[in-house]
Amino acid sequence: MGLDGKVVVVTGGTRGVGAGVARAFVEAGAKVVVCARRPPEVPLAGVEFRPLDLRDAAAVRAFFAALPRVDVLVNNAGGTPYRRLTDADAERHARVIELNLVAPLTASLAAYEHLTRSRGSIVMIGSVSGGRPSPGSAAYGAAKAGLDNLARSMAVEWAPHVRVNTLVVGMVRTEQTHLHYGGEDGMAGVSRTVPLGRLAEPADVGAAAVFLASDDAAYISGASLHVHGGGERPAFLDAATVNKEA
């Protein structure tokens, strides 16, 4: 796929989806640098870790300035706890938006000169939460909706030198999945709502990220690739009585 020797930066790449993305790029022959506030509990083979708080704009600029080259930036860092809107003040919700929308913008701007020189690409890790109501994670959903729009605007402004795309990710089985869906029974029940019958694995997201960053996707920019197993079965289908057996 033309990634041998390329330098790939994965933000928040120490666990879960980010670790899966980092591993996929290593397997594709890239040199991978991951950055996060804390190191991985288990070191990732072939991956260089550097500490970085992505909400510290000056530190982000210094981080990228110290790198000799960047060919691919994967803006993966993000997330949110379950929190209804009235359970927190606006400032706390704003921090969710800062991490999931402002931080990717900050990192992209800091990496821009590198990416322009290498004619590289950016992969945003978005979410299906950005395209539907997200009760309990409204600020996160709003941030992911903004991230998708930001990526499409970047793709136009930074063409033809830098390609920018978004992976719209559905439910993924990670080390923390049980916190959202419960134990194995809960995860099995949630899996049955996905048309393909299972949650995504981090490797599924990693493979899609490698594709978008590779020469195989050389004419793809400003796109949103859905990695969600077919989406969600519409609730009305289960409530409807037409053609149901008695």
Side-chain angles (χ1 to χ4, degrees), residues 1 4 16 50 58 86 89 97 101 117 137 146 196 217 237:
M1 288 190 174
D4 286 346
R50 298 192 184 187
T86 53
D89 55 28
I97 295 172
L101 177 57
R117 285 192 294 270
S137 58
L196 287 187
L237 292 176

Side-chain angles (χ1 to χ4, degrees), residues 150-216:
L150 174 65
R152 285 185 278 123
S153 296
M154 278 184 179
V156 175
E157 286 198 20
W158 294 1
H161 304 296
V162 181
R163 293 187 302 109
V164 187
N165 293 290
T166 301
L167 290 180
V168 182
V169 179
M171 296 176 289
V172 185
R173 188 183 184 100
T174 70
E175 307 94 323
Q176 295 187 315
T177 304
H178 65 283
L179 299 178
H180 295 276
Y181 310 127
E184 288 299 325
D185 288 345
M187 287 187 282
V190 171
S191 295
R192 288 192 291 271
T193 71
V194 180
L196 287 187
R198 67 174 178 87
L199 303 182
E201 297 291 338
D204 294 317
V205 184
V210 167
F211 165 69
L212 285 180
S214 74
D215 292 341
D216 290 343

Side-chain angles (χ1 to χ4, degrees), residues 3-84:
L3 291 173
D4 286 346
K6 299 288 189 182
V7 177
V8 179
V9 174
V10 181
T11 68
T14 58
R15 64 182 182 181
V17 169
V21 170
R23 290 190 192 97
F25 276 102
V26 169
E27 292 169 0
K31 177 182 178 182
V32 180
V33 179
V34 301
C35 55
R37 287 185 296 168
R38 291 180 292 274
E41 293 181 4
V42 179
L44 302 174
V47 173
E48 177 185 353
F49 169 76
R50 298 192 184 187
L52 179 65
D53 184 346
L54 287 152
R55 292 169 295 188
D56 183 339
V60 172
R61 288 190 288 269
F63 168 83
F64 281 99
L67 294 175
R69 178 186 179 97
V70 179
D71 297 280
V72 180
L73 169 62
V74 182
N75 280 309
N76 165 78
T80 184
Y82 180 86
R83 182 184 294 131
R84 290 189 176 273

Side-chain angles (χ1 to χ4, degrees), residues 126-134 137-138 140-148 168-169:
S127 171
V128 294
S129 294
R132 56 159 171 73
S134 297
S137 58
Y140 174 80
K144 291 300 188 180
L147 186 68
D148 185 58
V168 182
V169 179

